[in-house]
Structures are given as C-alpha cells and as structure tokens.
C-alpha cells in the first residue's frame, strides 16, 4: 500500500508540472508569434497576460459539451480522453536527471515508440465517431502522416541504439558525456526534428487542420473539454518529442560546460532549458514556414527521409563492424 502511494505521488509530481507547462506553452506560443508578427499577443488577463491560459482553461471547462446527434457518442467521448492519457504515459520513462525518473527500465526507447504509435488510435476514433466528412478526412490525413513519419523516426532511434548498445534512455545520455550526438549525427537530428513536426501535426505539416480545406480537421465537431483534451494532448506530445530530441541528441541532463560554477547547476535545469529551446523552435516554425501540400508531405517522408535513414543505418552498422566498435 505504501509503495502504491509513493508511486502515485511520483506520478503527480510529473503530471502537475507537465500540465502547467502545457498551459504556459500556449501562452508562450501566442506571445512569441505576436512578437514575430509585430503585435502584442495576450496582455489583458493578469500581468502581461500571464493568467490567460487559466482563463482559457476555465472558459472551456464551463462551456456546454455538444454531442452531434448522428455520432457514436461513446467513442466520441472516449477519443479525446484516450489521446490525452496516451500523451501523458510516455513521460514515465523520461529521465529528468541522473536519478529523477519514474520508471527506470532497459526498454525505454521501445516503450516511447509504442506510446507514440498509440496516439494514432484516439485521432482515427474521433474522426470516425464524429460521422462528419471533414472530421473523417482530417483523421485519415493525420493517421497516414503519423504512421509515415514514425518509420523514419524508428530507423533514427535504431542508429542511436546501435551506437550505444542499449535501449535505456539513461545509458544513451551517459554515452554523450564527451560528445553530444547532435554533433556526430547532425543530419539525423535534422531528420528527427522534421519528423517530430510531422508526427505532432505542426507547421509546416499541419495538413490535418488545413482551415481552407477541412475547416478544423479531426476535432471539428468537438467543443468544451473534448476540444481542450485534444489541445492538451497535442501540446504534451510536442513537449514529449522535444524531450526525446534532448535525450537522443543533446545529452539529456548533461551540462554543456563541465567546469566551475556550471558543475553545481542541477541536471534537471539543463534538461528543462533544452526543452525550452525546442519549444521556441516549434513556435518559430509555425511563424516562418508555409504549409506543405499533402503530396509533398508524403514524398518527403517516403522518398527522402526513409531511404536516407535506411542508408545511414547501413553505413553506421558497417563502420561499427569494420572497426570493431560495436558496444556489445
């Protein structure tokens, strides 16, 4: 009983700051977009608009939930819940510091890959259960997009696993003590980050939510808390992909400067700082880049990223075998 209570406390310690981070992610997005587009952004609710996410959340909470008369109501209600819960489950294996992880086990990368794959089900269920052509088309687009780019993400992860000899995320971070993988695998980092944009349906790959074509995509029939849960799941997935990027390529909790005062700064601070860098990068992509056409999106995934990642895997494995560098 005591062990269960400790585990629940650990889960809350992860989930509560995560939900707050997601809320203020939306504020940061609107503020940064406002700065890039030379406007103010939210500045009414609270000092400098800092309470705007709380105001938005309360508004969505008290709004009436509308259930379309022709929808499959059970699946319609369960879909946003599934999307939201799956987006939180991956954080169980993310190491925030050397000993700060909820569940330390040796198949961490496989678990993360499984959780990211499960996110497809909530989206396809929402599009089908809405009984709307626009929602269904948006769900099909999103599903095809996520499945396509998960393939190249998987190959990139396999390359990192080959070089480290472990599926454990903490071991992968420890292998970057002297050199972060972003330096030795910079092309892989670019492909992974681009695939993360497509995986989370963000600009320039936000095809499922193309306003001119599909109104709003798979969540077009949702309102109030259903819409809020989809939004929370999407932003949580962005933070998740940012954290995976930090673990695989940017040394996780490791400090970039291992001397003097910097050695006393906790690793969780560096981890959070690196995630903030990727958050700004996600928002910058939204402000700077135009939307791809759907055929361009699919061509990039299947005709460019997949062959390049497979070729990179073969070359890396050949070099490791030739020079007897395999870590196992």
């Amino acid at each position: 009983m005591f062990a269960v209570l400790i585990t629940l406390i650990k889960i809350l310690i992860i989930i509560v700051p995560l939900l707050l981070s997601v809320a203020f992610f939306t504020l940061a997005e609107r503020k940064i977009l406002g700065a890039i587009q030379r406007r103010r952004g939210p500045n009414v609710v609270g000092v400098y608009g800092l309470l705007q996410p709380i105001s938005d959340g309360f508004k969505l909470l008290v709004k009436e939930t509308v259930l379309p008369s022709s929808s499959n109501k059970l699946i319609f209600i369960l879909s946003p819940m599934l999307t939201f819960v799956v987006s939180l489950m991956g954080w169980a294996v993310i190491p925030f510091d050397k000993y700060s992880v909820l569940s330390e086990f040796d198949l961490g990368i496989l678990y993360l890959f499984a959780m990211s794959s499960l996110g497809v089900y909530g989206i396809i269920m929402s599009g089908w259960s809405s009984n709307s052509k626009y929602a269904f088309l948006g769900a099909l687009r999103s599903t095809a997009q996520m499945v396509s780019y998960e393939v190249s993400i998987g190959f990139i992860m396999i390359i990192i696993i080959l070089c480290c000899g472990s599926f454990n995320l903490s071991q992968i971070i420890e292998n970057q003590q002297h050199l972060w993988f972003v330096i030795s695998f910079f092309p892989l980092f670019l492909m992974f980050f681009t695939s993360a944009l497509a995986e989370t349906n963000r600009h320039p790959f936000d095809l499922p939510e193309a306003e001119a074509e599909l109104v709003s995509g798979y969540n077009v029939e949702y309102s109030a808390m259903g819409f809020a849960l989809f939004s929370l799941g999407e932003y949580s997935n962005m933070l998740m992909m940012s954290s995976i990027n930090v673990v695989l390529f940017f040394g996780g909790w490791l400090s970039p400067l291992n001397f003097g005062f910097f050695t006393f700064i906790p690793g969780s601070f560096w981890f959070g700082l690196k995630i903030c860098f990727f958050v700004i990068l996600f928002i910058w992509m939204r402000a700077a880049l135009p939307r791809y056409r759907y055929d361009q999106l699919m061509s990039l995934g299947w005709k460019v990223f997949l062959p390049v990642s497979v070729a990179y895997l073969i070359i890396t494995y050949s070099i490791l075998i030739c020079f007897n560098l395999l870590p196992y």
Side-chain angles (χ1 to χ4, degrees):
M1 182 65 186
F2 184 71
V4 172
L5 184 62
I6 293 294
T7 304
L8 286 174
I9 292 171
K10 287 181 179 178
I11 291 170
L12 286 175
I13 288 172
I14 292 174
I15 288 179
V16 172
L18 174 62
L19 294 180
L20 288 173
S21 300
V22 167
F24 285 97
F25 188 169
T26 61
L27 177 66
E29 180 172 36
R30 294 168 71 180
K31 282 284 191 183
I32 294 170
L33 285 176
I36 293 172
Q37 297 164 359
R38 295 177 70 89
R39 55 186 176 80
R40 290 186 181 276
N43 65 341
V44 176
V45 185
V47 181
Y48 298 113
L50 289 176
L51 298 180
Q52 187 67 47
I54 298 170
S55 171
D56 292 340
F58 184 71
K59 180 195 74 171
L60 289 168
L61 183 65
V62 299
K63 282 183 76 172
E64 178 186 2
T65 300
V66 178
L67 298 177
S69 57
S70 59
S71 66
N72 186 317
K73 292 179 176 56
L74 177 62
I75 300 178
F76 185 84
I77 293 169
L78 288 178
S79 301
M81 296 181 187
L82 176 64
T83 302
F84 177 63
V85 170
V86 167
S87 72
L88 296 180
M89 287 173 67
W91 291 92
V93 296
I94 297 293
F96 301 97
D97 204 342
K98 191 165 187 176
Y99 302 107
S100 299
V101 57
L102 177 64
S103 178
E104 177 79 38
F105 72 110
D106 291 335
L107 297 176
I109 279 198
L110 287 182
Y111 176 81
L112 280 177
F113 199 61
M115 289 303 106
S116 68
S117 302
L118 286 176
V120 173
Y121 290 101
I123 289 171
I124 198 70
M125 284 165 59
S126 68
W128 178 82
S129 64
S130 297
N131 201 19
S132 162
K133 292 182 180 67
Y134 293 116
F136 189 56
L137 282 170
L140 287 177
R141 275 188 171 191
S142 184
T143 304
Q145 179 174 322
M146 292 170 75
V147 169
S148 299
Y149 280 86
E150 273 173 8
V151 179
S152 53
I153 285 176
F155 279 116
I156 292 168
M157 286 181 170
I158 290 170
I159 294 167
I160 301 296
I161 292 164
L162 273 176
C163 295
C164 296
S166 174
F167 289 84
N168 188 298
L169 296 174
S170 297
Q171 291 285 334
I172 290 171
I173 293 172
E174 294 287 351
N175 274 280
Q176 301 177 63
Q177 286 276 3
H178 305 293
L179 184 71
W180 291 356
F181 287 152
V182 68
I183 298 170
S184 49
F185 294 120
F186 187 71
L188 288 185
F189 159 69
L190 292 178
M191 285 199 299
F192 190 92
F193 179 70
T194 309
S195 300
L197 289 172
E199 179 77 10
T200 52
N201 300 327
R202 293 289 294 183
H203 283 69
F205 307 115
D206 62 331
L207 275 304
E209 299 174 14
E211 298 91 352
E213 307 156 31
L214 298 175
V215 187
S216 178
Y218 57 85
N219 57 8
V220 66
E221 299 290 346
Y222 284 88
S223 61
M225 280 310 293
F227 180 83
L229 288 174
F230 271 125
S231 183
L232 287 170
E234 179 183 337
Y235 281 89
S236 176
N237 278 329
M238 278 189 270
L239 290 173
M240 168 63 67
M241 295 308 293
S242 299
S243 66
I244 296 172
N245 232 323
V246 168
V247 168
L248 294 182
F249 296 102
F250 281 81
W253 67 75
L254 296 175
S255 166
L257 301 167
N258 288 314
F259 62 88
F261 169 75
F262 296 100
T263 57
F264 297 101
I265 299 176
S268 53
F269 171 81
W270 292 116
F271 193 86
L273 196 64
K274 293 169 187 175
I275 287 181
C276 288
F277 166 74
F278 279 103
V279 164
I280 294 170
L281 217 53
F282 267 94
I283 299 167
W284 191 9
M285 294 299 108
R286 178 174 179 179
L289 299 176
R291 181 181 292 134
Y292 267 47
R293 285 201 323 263
Y294 200 72
D295 61 314
Q296 292 173 330
L297 169 78
M298 284 300 172
S299 294
L300 182 68
W302 290 106
K303 295 181 181 178
V304 179
F305 282 7
L306 180 60
V308 170
S309 57
V310 172
Y312 220 110
L313 173 62
I314 294 169
I315 292 168
T316 304
Y317 191 58
S318 302
I319 291 171
L320 291 174
I321 287 179
C322 289
F323 293 96
N324 198 23
L325 296 174
L326 284 172
Y328 46 86

